[in-house]
Amino acid sequence: MTVKRVGIVGSGIMGSGIAEVAAKSGHEVVLRSRRQETADSMVAGLEKSLAKQVEKGKLADEERQATVGRVTVTSDLGELRECDLVIESIVEDLSAKKHLFNELDRICAEHTILATNTSTLPVIELAMDTGRPQRVCGIHFFNPAPVMSLVEIVRPLTADDDTIAEARAFAEACGKTPVEVKDQAGFVVNALLFPYLNNAVRLLEQGVASKEDIDTAMKGGCGFPMGPLALLDLVGLDTSLAILEALYEEFKEPNYSPVPLLRRMVSAELLGRKSGRGFYDYHR
Ligand code: 3HC
């Protein structure tokens, strides 16, 4: 089965980015946010992002119009009923996600694939909260979704081959490169990336170098597009802390244990770009 109509639940950075990617590649997109105002502001954000691409000459104006025309917004979960695929991208909280999957399972058509964009939580726990565990998988996009080419397709023990093949085909139709990964915390990218990010905070905490020099070192020394502290600001320090906690919970590896400075910054609401300040100040 080919995915034509995609539902997206959650209005954060990832939900908006995935909506843009899916709509641009020709899918009908239904965006659901709990509040109509948030859903409307997602569309405003999408329109702004597409307008920027038109300005840069990367997108034709007709294509922009067609993309916007493929997106509808709603605060009613019931409107996801006819979707071929629903991607959940709400807060990284297992009980909130389980509750949502349970509701989606009751609402959506029998053939609908229910997917999560979680980066660390066990997909199997969500699958088992539905009456269709064979139609549940992870489809993990990276931030910023319109730019990053990778999508991790996460196969819980219950998923059938058709579901995984359809999820892969959807990622490819979005112009992304899928890789298939086992359902364990962090999958491939975050399992490797987050010990590195955590240790960058440790170096800062130990006063080994300034934040600017740590970032300059990793850009110049490893050819990374941005340094680790700037990347933590992009991902969000609260999300990063949640990812490290989930990795630590699963593996009990010291490198996954969040360093104290990261915790303190989250307590101080220094969350990165989303709050205007993290390791760097974004107000200026
Ligand atoms: N949406 C759409 N396009 C965007 C964008 C966004 N949010 N951010 C940047 N872009 C586009 C720009 O328009 C620009 O396009 P152009 O070159 O065609 O004009 C291009 O991307 C490059 O952007 P900039 O020139 O503004 O800046 P950079 O060259 O520094 O690139 C970056 C920005 C793409 C964010 C780059 O620094 C990068 O690749 N950083 C690493 C990001 C990364 O590692 N992400 C993974 C995080 S881990 C994760 O997501 C897992 C999750 O579970 C936490």
Side-chain angles (χ1 to χ4, degrees):
M1 221 206 70
T2 309
V3 170
K4 295 195 184 77
R5 191 173 168 85
V6 184
I8 295 180
V9 185
S11 52
I13 315 169
M14 292 311 293
S16 317
I18 299 167
E20 178 177 331
V21 168
K24 249 180 100 175
S25 54
H27 300 88
E28 297 287 323
V29 172
V30 186
L31 268 176
R32 189 269 183 175
S33 174
R34 275 171 303 177
R35 290 185 15 246
Q36 188 66 40
E37 308 89 80
T38 328
D40 291 341
S41 77
M42 278 175 88
V43 174
L46 170 75
E47 285 178 354
K48 198 169 150 201
S49 171
L50 295 173
K52 217 191 269 175
Q53 292 165 39
V54 173
E55 241 170 66
K56 284 186 175 178
K58 288 199 289 185
L59 188 74
D61 195 51
E62 307 81 75
E63 200 42 51
R64 179 192 64 78
Q65 281 179 29
T67 301
V68 173
R70 283 192 283 270
V71 178
T72 52
V73 289
T74 182
S75 55
D76 174 12
L77 213 52
E79 291 195 24
L80 302 177
R81 186 171 297 110
E82 297 309 323
C83 289
D84 305 311
L85 165 69
V86 175
I87 305 178
E88 163 280 313
S89 184
I90 64 168
V91 63
E92 282 288 86
D93 176 278
L94 188 58
S95 65
K97 286 186 197 282
K98 284 177 89 159
H99 180 74
L100 176 64
F101 268 67
N102 190 280
E103 269 190 283
L104 287 171
D105 184 43
R106 279 191 288 108
I107 289 166
C108 293
E110 210 176 307
H111 77 280
T112 308
I113 296 177
L114 301 181
T116 173
N117 185 55
T118 186
S119 38
T120 37
L121 296 172
V123 181
I124 188 66
E125 300 259 354
L126 305 177
M128 295 306 282
D129 242 42
T130 71
R132 64 180 84 197
Q134 75 286 356
R135 292 296 276 167
V136 176
C137 67
I139 300 186
H140 183 214
F141 283 82
F142 291 81
N143 187 359
V147 183
M148 306 309 284
S149 64
L150 183 71
V151 172
E152 288 177 322
I153 305 293
V154 186
R155 182 193 275 264
L157 292 173
T158 46
D160 65 21
D161 291 343
D162 285 349
T163 301
I164 298 301
E166 287 161 35
R168 280 189 87 107
F170 165 71
E172 279 162 358
C174 288
K176 303 295 185 191
T177 307
V179 293
E180 190 180 318
V181 296
K182 209 168 89 173
D183 177 23
Q184 67 167 43
F187 315 128
V188 171
V189 173
N190 285 347
L192 294 173
L193 177 63
F194 275 83
Y196 153 67
L197 297 179
N198 198 31
N199 279 308
V201 183
R202 198 188 315 276
L203 289 184
L204 180 68
E205 199 178 50
Q206 291 170 343
V208 172
S210 68
K211 57 182 185 241
E212 291 85 1
D213 283 357
I214 291 172
D215 279 352
T216 301
M218 293 313 292
K219 283 195 284 182
C222 289
F224 291 170
M226 67 204 302
L229 303 172
L231 182 54
L232 281 161
D233 278 354
L234 175 74
V235 170
L237 271 59
D238 51 345
T239 304
S240 300
L241 179 60
I243 290 172
L244 281 163
E245 279 173 338
L247 283 163
Y248 187 72
E249 169 71 21
E250 181 114 308
F251 301 109
K252 302 288 185 290
E253 288 262 359
N255 264 328
Y256 291 137
S257 173
V259 303
L261 177 59
L262 183 63
R263 278 190 197 286
R264 297 297 180 275
M265 289 181 70
V266 171
S267 302
E269 295 175 8
L270 299 171
L271 306 181
R273 291 190 191 195
K274 66 169 104 169
S275 70
R277 227 179 112 197
F279 292 101
Y280 297 94
D281 192 344
Y282 299 90
H283 290 114
R284 281 170 280 163

